Amino acid sequence: QLQLQESGPGLVKPSETLSLTCTVSGGSISSSSYYWGWIRQPPGKGLEWIGSIYYSGSTYYNPSLKSRVTISVDTSKNQFSLKLSSVTAADTAVYYCARQDSSGWFFIWGQGTMVTVSS
Amino acid sequence: EIVLTQSPATLSLSPGERATLSCRASQSVSSYLAWYQQKPGQAPRLLIYDASNRATGIPARFSGSGSGTDFTLTISSLEPEDFAVYYCQQRSNWPPEDTFGQGTKLEIK
């Protein structure tokens, strides 16, 4: 059974870079036709797609975050990662990783990790 | 950019009642729409994909319908565990971009 687990610092200072990793277990991150995505949810608010990486390595980002986001894959560790630069308090949120099928539906989610941006 | 608008923002119903949630797209998305359920402190769970297909393990009381710009999630008879927030999601073809609606909170009346 495929499982995803987010990890990374729970507190990031303003203007620094937020870095999170999603570890995939129970299956290969190199499986064809899947996307691996990041979604966030500010406290008390709705879901926002951050970006996704295709099994081929192609990346797709939310236009509103594109200038600050990098998503990458480490197949040797069965992980994919998120980097969000120049963070502000508005980036405080629960960050989820998820697997998408070829149509883009988020079938499997991690449990989420809370990241607070504060000095 | 396609915008998804969900209505109502909050829906107050009693167990056993029928719930009808709406999601409207700013332009046609064909049948490329999904619905998720999120309970407090939990990750969202996929309920419906491709507008009307139930995901594995989702009870038959959940159904999705619609195409083009107007979509509906129906819960035929509410169970206590169905009270949660529901989101719709679409993906644009190219470049692939995912958008969520703002959510509908289904609360106990």
Side-chain angles (χ1 to χ4, degrees), chain A residues 11-87:
Chain A
L11 181 64
V12 181
K13 289 182 169 55
S15 79
E16 295 189 344
T17 296
L18 179 160
S19 296
L20 295 174
T21 296
C22 183
T23 300
V24 179
S25 58
S28 172
I29 201 168
S30 302
S31 298
S32 62
S33 302
Y34 289 116
Y35 294 81
W36 303 90
W38 289 96
I39 306 97
R40 69 181 183 179
Q41 185 171 37
K45 295 188 178 181
L47 302 168
E48 180 181 33
W49 173 69
I50 299 170
S52 301
I53 187 163
Y54 198 39
Y55 78 103
S56 62
S58 299
T59 52
Y60 308 95
Y61 300 132
N62 185 323
S64 68
L65 298 170
K66 186 175 184 177
S67 63
R68 299 195 290 131
V69 174
T70 302
I71 296 175
S72 59
V73 168
D74 185 338
T75 55
S76 67
K77 295 182 179 178
N78 225 32
Q79 296 174 335
F80 64 107
S81 298
L82 168 71
K83 291 188 185 299
L84 180 66
S85 64
S86 304
V87 297

Side-chain angles (χ1 to χ4, degrees), chain A residues 35 39 41 45-49 52 60-63 96 100-107 109-112, chain B residues 31-34 36 38 42-46 49-50 55 87 89-91 94-98 100-102:
Chain A
Y35 294 81
I39 306 97
Q41 185 171 37
K45 295 188 178 181
L47 302 168
E48 180 181 33
W49 173 69
S52 301
Y60 308 95
Y61 300 132
N62 185 323
Y96 296 99
Q100 297 171 271
D101 73 348
S102 58
S103 295
W105 313 133
F106 297 96
F107 273 85
W109 295 66
Q111 65 184 27
Chain B
S31 295
Y32 296 115
L33 190 104
Y36 299 83
Q38 187 180 33
Q42 296 184 16
R45 175 176 69 148
L46 179 67
Y49 63 95
D50 293 346
Y87 295 95
Q89 177 228 343
Q90 70 84 30
R91 160 167 282 202
W94 191 262
E97 289 180 13
D98 297 295
F100 290 94
Q102 82 278 18

Side-chain angles (χ1 to χ4, degrees), chain B residues 37-106:
Chain B
Q37 177 194 65
Q38 187 180 33
K39 297 179 180 179
Q42 296 184 16
R45 175 176 69 148
L46 179 67
L47 298 175
I48 302 287
Y49 63 95
D50 293 346
S52 61
N53 294 320
R54 271 191 305 276
T56 301
I58 302 304
R61 64 181 181 273
F62 290 91
S63 63
S65 63
S67 65
T69 60
D70 290 304
F71 299 85
T72 301
L73 173 69
T74 301
I75 310 171
S76 59
S77 179
L78 285 166
E79 297 288 340
E81 61 268 27
D82 298 337
F83 292 92
V85 179
Y86 292 84
Y87 295 95
C88 56
Q89 177 228 343
Q90 70 84 30
R91 160 167 282 202
S92 58
N93 273 342
W94 191 262
E97 289 180 13
D98 297 295
T99 307
F100 290 94
Q102 82 278 18
T104 289
K105 181 180 181 180
L106 179 57

Side-chain angles (χ1 to χ4, degrees), chain B residues 17-35:
Chain B
E17 291 192 294
R18 181 185 186 89
T20 303
L21 287 67
S22 174
C23 179
R24 176 165 290 178
S26 59
Q27 62 189 77
S28 177
V29 297
S30 185
S31 295
Y32 296 115
L33 190 104
W35 290 93

